Amino acid sequence: MNDALTSDVIGRRVEVNGEHATVRFFGDVPPVAGFWLGVEWDNPERGKHDGSHEGTVYFKCRHPTGGSFIRPNKVNFGVDFLTALKNRYVLEDGPEEDGKEQIVTIGNRTVQTVGFDSVIKRQSQLNKLEDISLRNCAVNGAGDKGGIARACPHIRKVDLSRNLLSSWDDVIDIADQLKDLEVLNLSENKLEFPSCSTSLIGTFSALKVLVLNRTGITWAEVLRCAPGWPVLEELYLGSNNICISERPVDVLQTVKLLDLSSNQLIDENQLFLIAYLPRLEQLILSNIGISSIHFPDAGIGCKTSLFPSLQYLVVNDNQISQWSFINELDKLQSLDTLSCVRNPLTAGSKDSQTTRQFIIARIGQLKTLDRCQILPEERRGAELDYRKAFGNEWKKAGGHQNPDKNRPNEEFLAAHPRYQFLCQKYGAPEDGELKTQQPFILKNQLLTLKIRYPDQLDQKVLEKQLPDSMTIQKVKGLLSRLLKVPVSQLLLSYESPKC
Amino acid sequence: MILFGVNLLSSTFPLISYVPLTRECLSIHIGQAGIQIGDACWELYCLEHGIQPDGGVLDSKKDQLENANVEHMDASFDTFFCETRAGKYVPRALFMDLEPTVVDGIRTGKYRSLFHPEQLVSGKEDAANNYARGHYSVGSEIIDLVLERIRKLAKQCSGLQGFLIFRSFGGGTGSGFTSLLMEQLSIEYSRKTKLEFSVYPAPRISTAVVEPYNSILTTHSTIEHSDCSFMVDNEAIFDICHRKLGVERPSYASINRLIGQAVSSITASLRFKGPLNVDLIEFQTNLVPYPRIHFPMTTFAPIISADKAYHEELSVSDITAACFEFSNQLVKCDPRLGKYMACCLLYRGDVVPKDVNAAIAAMKSRNSVRFVDWCPTGFKVGINNQPPVAMPGGDLAKVQRAVCMLSNTTAIVEAWARLDHKFDLMYAKRAFLHWYIREGMEEGEFSEAREDLAALEKDYEEVGQSF
């Protein structure tokens, strides 16, 4: 690809020693002779400058050390899909290659490969391949028109992550020829997306799973391409700095799983824009920095109409520190599985058991929490403990065992929306339950005894603190030592404090 | 007339036109651990072979089955499943326990229509974590029934290879009844291989103090009847679930699903006619140098949480390197302190020979891998293109490729040493012994068993010595 470089090399994705970059400039850079390529690296610190050299700006980079000038022959422009496929799955030179293989040893024993010949033979039948991976194979496009469709039309799953595809059109060229394509992974490809919505008939007609992690795609671009994904069920958009800017209308309606993890710009208001996807069952919001959520259309104890099908919510590694977040989740109609580890609310607390119980008690229909199933006994225990733990607060806020007098204030109801329901389910907490237990230290178990001489009123009254389990015999012994009177001469009588 | 007959035959019984020798494997699941692991395993096998909970085959797999008969390629349903006249597939398995609760779980669970009622055997009174009850008093009452049911299953096999026994070391049924059964199986099926999957007790999830007793007693009485035993340490699995899969408090369900994946990798070659360890005898020839030294260690990779699907890309090199990490081992021991006697690496899924060769070449520099002097064989590496399957709703993410390493290393003697030590602590005081004596055992059996294990430790030491 070094000959006949033309200006359409600009925008191409290239690879140099394992590092990926986009070509931004092509031509002379005086005073040095010869053609140069100006590239913007994916890694912003890899380069030497920002596209300018000795005062002249040749191209722009987003980062001051994001760019470099390289000789075209040092750059790998990649290969087409079929070539990459053959490189990986077909042994180019046939069986003679085996003889030239070095004997590999580990721990000075030879490694014997068993049955590799038949594997190679089988995998070389490209038209039988269904599930392939061309990750990091420098794929830059589809190649000759129709080539893929002729060679390997039955491919269902392709991993094309970390390649040199430069635009969505390249992807379309490949996918057009794979009519059975169900799973496509395009992570880590920096793609140029079309600027206007294109309607494609037939391409992606079977696509169920699309992975676009780390592609730099924007939400607007997702919605522009989405009409071409009529049966899409799983969409992965992790680590793209996405900001959800508009509501998907007539697109993404079949999506069941949406992964938006590690998109730090998403906030709770943006989530409302995806709240009406009718089939959305699983939502992954790990590591987006969210700390609060509120469903304004539902009051305390009511269900929201947002996220109607959402069953599984993942909010790990976020900034959730308030119980109000958990309270809001109870408003979701279909939620039964939640993962919320590594949040300030749940991590590092000494009482992780209590935290788990409170989450279970606050979300009524939860069946699985943090990948552990909630059995009916656990739920019962959690709800009873929660009811007891906040009993005193409830009473102070106006709660009462008598239903006529039971009027806890708004603040309490907002903080504990399920409390009234739990009182109905298990009965209001009894006063006996709510007594705070004194911690069991010996000091609290001692009785104070006043000892006096009934006949000698001028004698000082002794006060002693003794454990209530002490027998009278021992008390006599103690008194005899104290008062220097032999035990047999002691006569003890009890005086009630009332007189 | 004869021509007509032949045509009729070949159209209704296509298998007869060419008869591959089917080499069936019978799985026997004993006690709570064995049954619950079995539940996880058969669920996974059904997903891999496309068999539905009622025993029917998914349409998409039917084509594969037809092709398989013609080209004798991948699907080897017959090894593990028996085809009924109605076209349903029934597992070649027996589940038994001395008390009914756990077996009832199968009888009423999702796969209840998959098994014939006679394959699910339960008694009335359990072994109460007591080897003596499992082996002598309670177990002896049910052993004949169990043997009869096994005979029925064996009759359905044209060329039974052997048995896969699933059990725990620590439980009463798993320890006591298994050794009783193994003795009987050796008598009745003397030429058949017996492979075990044994759950080694872990303090963090243990339910009984006497697990070391049960473990030592059962190992002593089973060692000469078992050909190869894959140990699975509950503690190692617990750690894997907790650290790698992010499960806060791993339950038996999580642990058993993970063990199911390991068992699926180990038996993949039997079920899909892979290149390596195609039959039970081959396991022995590849892994067992001496009859008593038959405890290989299992490691498998990758282990990725389902919530992180598609976030971590694992290449062949990555998963190969992971095989040599502690955190991926299913038994806690340090292979760097021991020597390897044999090692098998089986790759599954989208794996090309080129990548394997490259990955292994990168492993060359591993100085910590030392082999014993006297063993000429080294590593055996195979690829099975059947992709690994993840249970929907499980903790593991679906991956395109996986690897399982089975290595017979002298380092596994650590596991025995730990158990022997715990045994000694209790036995020195004769603690809890009366529970066993009451059921008819003698103290002599304990000291005999302990001596046998001491001899086993010595055997490992000897094989590891240099000339």
Side-chain angles (χ1 to χ4, degrees):
Chain A
M1 206 14 229
N2 296 325
D3 48 340
L5 281 180
T6 55
S7 57
D8 57 338
V9 84
I10 296 191
R12 292 275 301 261
R13 296 278 296 157
V14 294
E15 180 250 327
V16 181
N17 286 336
E19 298 259 7
H20 288 205
T22 315
V23 177
R24 295 272 185 236
F25 165 82
F26 155 73
D28 288 317
V29 181
V32 190
F35 284 142
W36 289 93
L37 287 175
V39 300
E40 181 179 9
W41 298 101
D42 286 0
N43 175 2
E45 283 154 43
R46 170 70 174 78
K48 296 203 171 82
H49 50 75
D50 65 348
S52 46
H53 181 62
E54 291 182 2
T56 322
V57 176
Y58 291 92
F59 62 95
K60 286 269 171 59
C61 279
R62 264 167 289 191
H63 206 268
T65 52
S68 295
F69 289 108
I70 308 189
R71 292 288 185 195
N73 58 358
K74 293 241 186 301
V75 153
N76 178 12
F77 282 91
V79 296
D80 68 86
F81 185 92
L82 264 184
T83 312
L85 192 67
K86 288 185 188 146
N87 281 346
R88 186 148 195 267
Y89 290 98
V90 180
L91 204 51
E92 280 298 324
D93 296 312
E96 309 105 61
E97 189 72 27
D98 287 347
K100 289 190 259 166
E101 243 174 61
Q102 329 154 320
I103 311 279
V104 187
T105 63
I106 299 182
N108 31 304
R109 285 287 186 284
T110 52
V111 177
Q112 181 192 354
T113 57
V114 178
F116 274 22
D117 289 339
S118 63
V119 173
I120 291 172
K121 213 161 86 172
R122 189 158 355 129
Q123 285 177 332
S124 311
Q125 298 176 295
L126 297 177
N127 59 352
K128 293 243 169 77
L129 290 177
E130 285 186 357
D131 186 344
I132 62 163
S133 168
L134 290 175
R135 177 179 164 78
N136 210 13
C137 291
V139 176
N140 60 17
D144 294 327
K145 221 164 168 51
I148 299 175
R150 276 193 299 272
C152 48
H154 301 299
I155 288 180
R156 294 228 201 108
K157 300 186 191 171
V158 183
D159 180 357
L160 275 170
S161 56
R162 207 154 193 276
N163 277 303
L164 300 177
L165 299 165
S166 42
S167 75
W168 189 247
D169 291 329
D170 292 333
V171 177
I172 304 270
D173 288 340
I174 296 173
D176 243 341
Q177 305 183 50
L178 298 172
K179 292 294 169 209
D180 294 336
L181 192 62
E182 286 176 13
V183 178
L184 179 59
N185 187 345
L186 292 166
S187 303
E188 297 178 76
N189 284 297
K190 289 227 172 333
L191 303 169
E192 274 276 321
F193 288 92
S195 49
C196 53
S197 197
T198 44
S199 64
L200 306 144
I201 306 164
T203 325
F204 300 126
S205 52
L207 192 69
K208 297 220 183 98
V209 178
L210 182 58
V211 187
L212 291 166
N213 297 333
R214 289 175 219 276
T215 50
I217 193 170
T218 65
W219 187 252
E221 285 163 350
V222 172
L223 295 191
R224 262 184 255 143
C225 296
W229 311 325
V231 295
L232 194 66
E233 287 178 11
E234 296 181 23
L235 182 58
Y236 295 83
L237 295 170
S239 307
N240 282 317
N241 273 333
I242 280 185
C243 225
I244 303 175
S245 50
E246 51 186 290
R247 217 175 117 155
V249 177
D250 291 335
V251 288
L252 300 181
Q253 302 295 308
T254 49
V255 168
K256 288 192 193 161
L257 182 155
L258 187 57
D259 182 349
L260 289 167
S261 38
S262 303
N263 284 302
Q264 299 275 335
L265 299 175
I266 294 184
D267 64 33
E268 60 175 290
N269 293 318
Q270 292 174 34
L271 290 177
F272 294 147
L273 296 168
I274 49 168
Y276 294 98
L277 292 169
R279 301 246 175 84
L280 189 64
E281 288 171 14
Q282 197 170 332
L283 184 58
I284 304 180
L285 297 175
S286 306
N287 192 23
I288 62 172
I290 197 170
S291 57
S292 63
I293 198 162
H294 180 59
F295 298 115
D297 65 330
I300 296 171
C302 303
K303 295 290 179 194
T304 177
S305 60
L306 280 72
F307 295 107
S309 310
L310 189 64
Q311 289 171 15
Y312 186 177
L313 179 64
V314 180
V315 286
N316 299 332
D317 300 295
N318 278 308
Q319 299 299 322
I320 301 166
S321 57
Q322 304 293 327
W323 283 108
S324 51
F325 190 102
I326 307 291
N327 289 338
E328 287 294 306
L329 293 182
D330 188 44
K331 292 182 182 169
L332 290 166
Q333 289 174 33
S334 315
L335 189 71
D336 61 34
T337 310
L338 174 69
S339 279
C340 67
V341 294
R342 293 183 295 273
N343 279 294
L345 188 66
T346 56
S349 59
K350 284 184 286 187
D351 231 342
S352 57
Q353 184 69 344
T354 312
T355 312
R356 181 182 165 86
Q357 287 200 311
F358 284 0
I359 297 178
I360 295 173
R362 287 172 189 268
I363 308 179
Q365 72 267 39
L366 206 59
K367 298 261 165 27
T368 309
L369 175 61
D370 297 339
R371 303 210 147 273
C372 290
Q373 207 189 355
I374 300 169
L375 296 167
E377 306 90 60
E378 190 181 4
R379 169 159 287 283
R380 191 184 143 82
E383 288 179 342
L384 284 171
D385 276 350
Y386 172 73
R387 170 179 145 281
K388 190 160 103 171
F390 290 98
N392 282 325
E393 220 180 281
W394 169 72
K395 290 187 83 175
K396 273 198 216 119
H400 203 279
Q401 279 92 351
N402 184 343
D404 295 326
K405 299 195 195 148
N406 183 24
R407 266 180 290 273
N409 61 28
E410 282 300 313
E411 210 184 306
F412 181 86
L413 289 176
H416 302 277
R418 279 196 92 219
Y419 201 86
Q420 296 287 77
F421 171 78
L422 290 178
C423 286
Q424 278 174 351
K425 186 171 172 185
Y426 298 106
E430 301 290 320
D431 284 335
E433 279 180 87
L434 300 178
K435 245 203 305 220
T436 43
Q437 278 188 341
Q438 293 287 6
F440 185 84
I441 40 179
L442 196 56
K443 231 173 33 169
N444 297 339
Q445 311 303 318
L446 300 174
L447 291 175
T448 313
L449 251 61
K450 289 200 178 121
I451 302 145
R452 65 182 190 87
Y453 292 88
D455 302 333
Q456 296 162 303
L457 292 162
D458 54 340
Q459 281 276 6
K460 225 164 59 165
V461 174
L462 277 175
E463 232 184 63
K464 279 251 147 244
Q465 289 206 311
L466 301 171
D468 64 351
S469 55
M470 200 167 178
T471 58
I472 296 294
Q473 188 183 24
K474 297 256 165 63
V475 175
K476 274 190 165 180
L478 171 72
L479 288 176
S480 106
R481 281 194 300 276
L482 266 180
L483 308 173
K484 318 261 190 292
V485 173
V487 174
S488 48
Q489 289 185 16
L490 277 177
L491 192 64
L492 302 181
S493 57
Y494 173 69
E495 231 174 56
S496 144
K498 288 205 182 90
C499 52
Chain B
M1 222 34 210
I2 296 170
L3 262 168
F4 176 76
V6 167
N7 279 342
L8 188 65
L9 267 170
S10 62
S11 62
T12 47
F13 302 112
L15 287 166
I16 295 189
S17 49
Y18 95 104
V19 183
L21 185 62
T22 39
R23 307 274 291 145
E24 298 93 347
C25 293
L26 265 177
S27 302
I28 306 181
H29 303 273
I30 306 175
Q32 180 181 351
I35 294 175
Q36 289 181 336
I37 292 175
D39 199 13
C41 286
W42 285 103
E43 187 172 4
L44 204 50
Y45 295 166
C46 287
L47 286 172
E48 290 181 12
H49 293 267
I51 293 177
Q52 296 175 305
D54 64 352
V57 184
L58 277 177
D59 286 329
S60 56
K61 292 279 184 176
K62 277 208 181 104
D63 303 326
Q64 215 182 64
L65 192 53
E66 274 168 32
N67 290 336
N69 289 337
V70 171
E71 298 165 12
H72 54 97
M73 263 166 56
D74 303 352
S76 221
F77 283 61
D78 301 333
T79 340
F80 275 62
F81 291 89
C82 174
E83 190 182 357
T84 65
R85 263 178 275 178
K88 303 275 175 162
Y89 286 86
V90 181
R92 299 188 194 276
L94 184 82
F95 289 74
M96 82 71 57
D97 196 4
L98 289 176
E99 58 100 17
T101 337
V102 188
V103 182
D104 283 345
I106 308 271
R107 289 187 181 119
T108 56
K110 182 175 171 199
Y111 285 88
R112 61 185 175 278
S113 323
L114 190 62
F115 301 100
H116 190 282
E118 288 202 339
Q119 294 175 275
L120 307 171
V121 180
S122 58
K124 299 217 178 66
E125 211 188 335
D126 82 336
N129 285 316
N130 189 334
Y131 172 93
R133 282 171 70 89
H135 190 101
Y136 298 104
S137 36
V138 185
S140 57
E141 290 167 25
I142 205 174
I143 182 73
D144 291 325
L145 176 62
V146 172
L147 285 170
E148 196 204 302
R149 297 284 167 84
I150 294 178
R151 246 169 255 137
K152 271 202 176 142
L153 286 169
K155 268 211 199 94
Q156 293 171 341
C157 303
S158 59
L160 178 66
Q161 309 184 37
F163 303 92
L164 298 168
I165 320 262
F166 295 78
R167 50 75 164 254
S168 69
F169 276 163
T173 316
S175 61
F177 189 80
T178 307
S179 45
L180 180 62
L181 181 64
M182 296 283 267
E183 282 165 25
Q184 296 300 317
L185 289 178
S186 288
I187 298 171
E188 207 172 317
Y189 305 90
S190 55
R191 305 281 227 96
K192 312 290 181 190
T193 315
K194 295 193 277 302
L195 246 58
E196 284 184 280
F197 290 89
S198 316
V199 178
Y200 177 97
R204 260 191 282 183
I205 334 181
S206 111
T207 47
V209 186
V210 293
E211 279 172 353
Y213 279 166
N214 294 336
S215 309
I216 304 296
L217 288 168
T218 189
T219 308
H220 163 59
S221 39
T222 317
I223 197 167
E224 58 187 275
H225 303 290
S226 162
D227 298 300
C228 189
S229 178
F230 297 99
M231 288 204 292
V232 166
D233 181 353
N234 259 346
E235 178 131 1
I237 308 263
F238 188 97
D239 279 344
I240 291 177
C241 285
H242 184 69
R243 291 196 201 133
K244 286 188 176 243
L245 300 179
V247 184
E248 285 295 308
R249 300 169 319 154
S251 59
Y252 275 147
S254 311
I255 292 175
N256 290 334
R257 274 195 290 255
L258 199 57
I259 297 178
Q261 285 288 348
V263 174
S264 167
S265 315
I266 296 173
T267 58
S269 301
L270 297 166
R271 292 178 293 114
F272 291 105
K273 286 237 166 5
L276 208 54
N277 299 336
V278 173
D279 54 39
L280 296 177
I281 303 260
E282 214 183 304
F283 273 103
Q284 278 179 270
T285 21
N286 285 341
L287 290 169
V288 182
Y290 291 99
R292 279 161 67 86
I293 313 289
H294 64 234
F295 299 94
M297 184 176 70
T298 317
T299 316
F300 83 100
I303 303 176
I304 308 182
S305 166
D307 290 339
K308 297 245 172 89
Y310 296 110
H311 284 273
E312 293 182 37
E313 302 298 336
L314 290 173
S315 62
V316 175
S317 312
D318 293 326
I319 58 179
T320 311
C323 281
F324 292 89
E325 275 171 37
F326 290 161
S327 47
N328 286 63
Q329 286 171 208
L330 297 192
V331 181
K332 288 203 167 193
C333 64
D334 191 349
R336 296 175 306 184
L337 298 177
K339 291 192 186 158
Y340 286 85
M341 289 169 273
C343 198
C344 295
L345 265 170
L346 186 67
Y347 292 88
R348 279 183 88 167
D350 174 59
V351 177
V352 295
K354 206 187 286 189
D355 289 347
V356 173
N357 289 332
I360 291 177
M363 298 294 305
K364 256 189 337 183
S365 52
R366 290 244 164 196
N367 298 322
S368 52
V369 174
R370 294 177 307 160
F371 271 84
V372 290
D373 298 331
W374 48 264
C375 188
T377 57
F379 275 80
K380 280 216 165 116
V381 181
I383 299 178
N384 193 322
N385 285 120
Q386 286 297 325
V389 171
M391 215 115 63
D395 305 317
L396 286 163
K398 184 156 169 36
V399 290
Q400 273 191 307
R401 62 197 67 85
V403 65
C404 175
M405 183 167 91
L406 299 173
S407 43
N408 200 341
T409 164
T410 56
I412 211 163
V413 76
E414 263 178 61
W416 295 120
R418 282 198 301 266
L419 217 45
D420 289 341
H421 176 67
K422 291 188 189 149
F423 179 102
D424 291 338
L425 286 174
M426 287 197 294
Y427 190 65
K429 298 285 190 193
R430 302 293 187 272
F432 302 103
L433 224 55
H434 63 283
W435 294 113
Y436 296 80
I437 313 285
R438 260 182 21 181
E439 301 289 340
M441 272 183 72
E442 289 173 5
E443 245 186 62
E445 222 175 306
F446 276 76
S447 40
E448 198 188 304
R450 180 62 184 89
E451 271 167 30
D452 195 10
L453 267 284
L456 182 65
E457 281 187 59
K458 222 135 207 275
D459 290 340
Y460 268 97
E461 206 187 318
E462 269 179 37
V463 298
Q465 272 168 3
S466 326
F467 290 128

